[in-house]
Amino acid sequence: MPQPLPAGTLRSLDDGLTIADLRRPRGGRWSGVLFDNPALWLAPTFAWTFIVEYGEVARADGRTPVGLCLEGVPLNSRSWQEMTGQRAVSPSFASPIESSVYFFAHHRYDQTKLLVVEQRDHSLHVVAEVRGDVDGLGIESVPVDAWLLFDGITVALSDPPSSVDAARTLLEGFTDTAGLEGFERDDTFWFTPAR
């Protein structure tokens, strides 16, 4: 049986990531996005993103932050302030959720289950699991139990709205914008909690 390495020992990248490296999330963030893709005939669509951060790991090849990203999550809530109890399931990658673990590169996972357990102001308690190691990271499933902080909502459309007010009007067709203030940066509109 292999002996554990002494604390602080750098391992080779070939050792891969272990479930122990993903045991204690350090937090993370959640956000929404209104986007489209005319090249794929994708009309304006609204989805949520949940990012769980685990901190850095060291290997002989260097150090890298490790994180889990769940993108394209469809939820039934019409308000970012009423997320408790929301759930989503995806049976395969991009159907509809794209889940990946970042460890020097993105490693896709096939199946995703997510539940929003509780909301306190801008923070969500999320429980999730991703399964099906598509890219051979070496971990078959990753359980998640973490608190994530709200990062706001982005409007990123191929035909950008003419103003913050126009972006807000478009966004309100998909989700509530109460309590959010908007600003523009490079044809992208951001809505974050008002201070």
Side-chain angles (χ1 to χ4, degrees):
M1 179 174 197
Q3 295 298 310
L5 296 172
T9 301
L10 295 180
R11 299 186 303 177
S12 165
L13 177 58
D14 293 336
D15 287 340
L17 197 66
T18 68
I19 196 67
D21 294 316
L22 301 172
R23 194 155 298 174
R24 292 192 182 99
R26 293 186 176 182
R29 57 196 187 279
W30 63 285
S31 60
V33 61
L34 176 60
F35 66 101
D36 64 355
N37 189 335
L40 298 176
W41 297 284
L42 180 65
T45 303
F46 185 80
W48 298 99
T49 299
F50 299 85
I51 298 174
V52 183
E53 298 166 353
Y54 293 94
E56 287 190 339
V57 296
R59 298 295 185 264
D61 301 327
R63 302 180 71 84
T64 186
V66 175
L68 170 66
C69 181
L70 311 177
E71 291 184 283
V73 180
L75 297 175
N76 291 325
S77 178
R78 285 281 302 161
S79 174
W80 66 274
Q81 298 180 85
E82 298 174 2
M83 300 289 281
T84 300
Q86 293 294 306
R87 60 182 69 233
V89 175
S90 184
S92 60
F93 186 80
S95 293
I97 302 172
E98 297 183 8
S99 296
S100 57
V101 172
Y102 183 83
F103 172 65
F104 287 100
H106 285 94
H107 302 268
R108 294 169 296 162
Y109 275 78
D110 226 9
Q111 304 164 13
T112 304
K113 293 181 182 177
L114 175 136
L115 170 65
V116 179
V117 177
E118 182 181 359
Q119 181 167 11
R120 294 181 189 161
D121 296 321
H122 302 157
S123 296
L124 294 185
H125 179 195
V126 173
V127 173
E129 182 180 37
V130 297
R131 294 183 136 307
D133 183 7
V134 175
D135 297 316
L137 179 60
I139 302 171
E140 182 55 27
S141 68
V142 179
V144 173
D145 189 336
W147 281 92
L148 310 178
L149 187 62
F150 186 51
D151 211 21
I153 298 174
T154 305
V155 175
L157 296 170
S158 56
D159 184 13
S162 59
S163 66
V164 169
D165 288 341
R168 183 183 297 275
T169 298
L170 284 172
L171 187 56
E172 286 174 345
F174 296 87
T175 189
D176 180 27
T177 63
L180 300 177
E181 58 186 0
F183 59 96
E184 180 182 4
R185 185 188 316 148
D186 300 327
D187 291 332
T188 300
F189 295 85
W190 305 79
F191 293 87
T192 58
R195 298 176 191 251

